[in-house]
Amino acid sequence: MNVEFTGRKCEITPALRQSVETGLAKIRKILGDKFDSKVILAIEKHRHKAEITISPRNGPLVGAAQAGDHEVCHQSGY
């Protein structure tokens, strides 16, 4: 399993990285180890967005969420 993280106006902390990888470990039980993941975390005005794309051999799975804040994501100095 390969995970690529992207932070847009957001710093990817080790705690956030660990949290995402823990969640993906649950999906690994279903899909096996042969998939790639892309995680995009973004801060836009007062919205914190997260998007995860998982690419198994059957086709991509995309999940998106929006919240008031990420617990462990810190805004970078943009």
Side-chain angles (χ1 to χ4, degrees):
M1 178 178 70
N2 186 19
V3 182
E4 177 184 328
F5 288 91
T6 304
R8 296 184 181 150
K9 295 187 181 180
C10 178
E11 180 183 341
I12 307 296
T13 62
L16 182 58
R17 184 180 298 266
Q18 180 64 34
S19 176
V20 170
E21 289 176 354
T22 300
L24 289 174
K26 295 176 184 179
I27 294 173
R28 187 181 338 163
K29 291 180 183 179
I30 298 168
L31 298 176
D33 285 332
K34 298 188 178 191
F35 66 90
D36 293 329
S37 303
K38 294 181 182 178
V39 179
I40 300 171
L41 301 173
I43 297 176
E44 297 177 1
K45 295 187 181 181
H46 300 290
R47 294 182 304 259
H48 292 238
K49 296 181 178 183
E51 181 179 323
I52 298 177
T53 303
I54 299 172
S55 301
R57 61 183 168 171
N58 301 4
L61 302 170
V62 179
Q66 180 174 308
D69 64 343
H70 296 134
E71 291 181 12
V72 291
C73 184
H74 301 287
Q75 188 169 0
S76 62
Y78 281 85

